[in-house]
Amino acid sequence: MRALIVEKAEDGRTTASVQEVDEGRLPAGDVTVRVEYSTLNYKDGLCIGPGAGLVRTYPHVPGVDFAGTVEASEDSRFSPGDKVVLTGWRVGEAHWGGYAEKARVKADWLVPLPEGLSARQAMAVGTAGFTAMLAIIALEDHGLTPANGEVLVTGATGGVGSVATAILANLGYDVAAVTGRPEQSRYLAALGASKLVTRDELSETVKRPLEKETWAGCVDAVGGAMLARILGQMKYGASVAAVGLAGGADLPAKVTPFLLRGVNLLGIDSVMQPIEARKKAWARVATDLPMDRLDGMIVEATLDDLPKLGAEILKGQVRGRVVVDVNA
Ligand SMILES: NC(=O)c1ccc[n+]([C@@H]2O[C@H](COP(=O)([O-])OP(=O)(O)OC[C@H]3O[C@@H](n4cnc5c(N)ncnc54)[C@H](OP(=O)(O)O)[C@@H]3O)[C@@H](O)[C@H]2O)c1
């Protein structure tokens, strides 16, 4: 089978290249999947490159997501021919992942491909889009409805941000999209954003911990000073779903918005999410994400393109969602 193999030299440097690999080298697992598509997330950029401590052993096959067809199964829940999708569970980090023509994983990690989605569409969604859906479900569970007011999405041209914008707009929300790439305003408007907020407007914390109550909800892919600033702009009782750290892992915030405005900070993890919540989120993706808007986010790629794209996503230079045809 062909696979993107990352190797580590004695000096610690990593190199990634497409190679022929014997299938016998696939890791242990009870289901073997013929991978059709994979995708590119920020974390994939790390695992294609220096690893950032995520990859345990080399040579390594990255790819935290894949969709394909079951080839062989030792688990009664899956049979050859079943269409499946996998995101997270540290696949592509601690376990060989989706940047190969085949993958072998635990049956517990697989979700049947949701009705109404193709393998290619599922990977256009990928961990980024699945996480955006989890964030929106968490906001809804904490009372968000379109009548509450404008919802902010940060890192809006990125994977999480693009899918969050498209789903929220489709559900009838007014979406304010925060971006450092204002030249992408037409892209964001096409996804359904009704307002553009430049990154500069929110990139610094201010002395006043409470500002004008502005946002009814927020899907935050950026973290850092921007998240701290946003907390002080949330409406009374509103929630922020903290998804990412594209702008930094520190949170230089005051507790005042929690105490005086009842603001909620909701943590979102996609990697270890229990299976029932996964099925629910994928079913919501299939119904709530307009497929024409998803098509507008897609950048096509092959395994050979991944070393370059991996470096680009780490620099915030990838727009929307990359779909990797592993058999091309
Ligand atoms: N919690 C989870 O389970 C989970 C799952 C998936 C992803 N994540 C995390 O969520 C984040 C986004 O993932 P992604 O796949 O959407 O990545 P992505 O496609 O690279 O998008 C990140 C976006 O953030 C913005 N950005 C980049 N650097 C920034 C900076 N220094 N300051 C402010 N904004 C910046 C950019 O958008 P603009 O150019 O539009 O500003 C960029 O496109 C990452 O940190 C990722 O690790 C977490």
Side-chain angles (χ1 to χ4, degrees):
M1 62 175 203
R2 288 173 80 240
L4 183 80
I5 300 281
V6 183
E7 290 165 307
K8 193 172 197 172
E10 274 181 11
D11 65 4
R13 282 194 214 173
T14 54
T15 48
S17 61
V18 178
Q19 299 179 19
E20 277 293 330
V21 188
D22 192 303
E23 268 181 60
R25 289 175 65 188
L26 283 170
D30 32 31
V31 183
T32 305
V33 178
R34 261 185 285 119
V35 179
E36 288 160 33
Y37 292 95
S38 185
T39 180
L40 179 77
N41 299 283
Y42 188 85
K43 210 189 259 181
D44 290 312
L46 295 172
C47 294
I48 294 169
L54 299 172
V55 177
R56 283 194 196 149
T57 53
Y58 291 90
H60 177 65
V61 177
V64 305
D65 301 334
F66 63 77
T69 306
V70 172
E71 182 177 85
S73 172
E74 291 164 18
D75 186 283
S76 59
R77 288 169 288 178
F78 296 98
S79 307
D82 288 351
K83 295 279 187 185
V84 289
V85 57
L86 181 143
T87 63
W89 298 115
R90 302 213 61 212
V91 169
E93 309 170 39
H95 193 90
W96 278 20
Y99 292 162
E101 288 171 341
K102 295 195 183 178
R104 189 172 295 135
V105 293
K106 287 189 183 171
D108 290 347
W109 298 344
L110 291 167
V111 173
L113 189 69
E115 194 110 347
L117 281 188
S118 67
R120 182 173 175 275
Q121 287 167 331
M123 285 300 98
V125 175
T127 282
F130 170 69
T131 308
M133 191 72 248
L134 291 174
I136 293 166
I137 292 171
L139 293 174
E140 291 172 344
D141 288 348
H142 283 77
L144 182 65
T145 70
N148 296 14
E150 271 184 313
V151 177
L152 194 68
V153 174
T154 69
T157 68
V160 174
S162 292
V163 178
T165 299
I167 293 175
L168 286 165
N170 185 50
L171 291 172
Y173 289 92
D174 282 332
V175 181
V178 184
T179 184
R181 292 184 266 184
E183 69 278 9
Q184 297 292 344
S185 60
R186 282 178 66 183
Y187 168 78
L188 291 167
L191 295 183
S194 44
K195 184 197 273 183
L196 200 136
V197 179
T198 63
R199 192 189 289 177
D200 292 347
E201 289 176 54
L202 293 173
S203 60
E204 284 172 22
T205 48
V206 287
K207 287 213 175 89
R208 280 184 304 143
L210 294 178
E211 298 183 70
K212 183 167 177 263
E213 291 184 45
T214 309
W215 316 114
C218 173
V219 176
D220 175 51
V222 170
M226 188 180 288
L227 173 55
R229 179 80 186 270
I230 289 166
L231 287 170
Q233 299 182 350
M234 299 306 294
K235 289 190 175 187
Y236 190 89
S239 303
V240 179
V243 171
L245 40 61
D250 289 340
L251 184 56
K254 303 267 192 292
V255 294
T256 327
F258 306 125
L259 313 184
L260 298 187
R261 289 207 181 136
V263 168
N264 305 299
L265 183 56
L266 313 176
I268 306 298
D269 168 59
S270 63
V271 178
M272 306 307 287
Q273 198 66 218
I275 196 76
E276 286 312 315
R278 284 174 189 265
K279 287 182 181 169
K280 180 180 167 196
W282 276 109
R284 286 283 309 270
V285 166
T287 55
D288 295 352
L289 174 61
M291 289 304 138
D292 55 336
R293 291 192 179 167
L294 182 65
D295 283 343
M297 298 174 206
I298 293 176
V299 177
E300 307 273 358
T302 66
L303 290 179
D304 295 294
D305 299 324
L306 284 166
K308 180 169 174 279
L309 285 169
E312 285 175 4
I313 200 165
L314 295 182
K315 290 187 228 145
Q317 291 170 350
V318 170
R319 186 187 87 176
R321 301 283 303 128
V322 175
V323 171
V324 183
D325 181 348
V326 302
N327 299 293

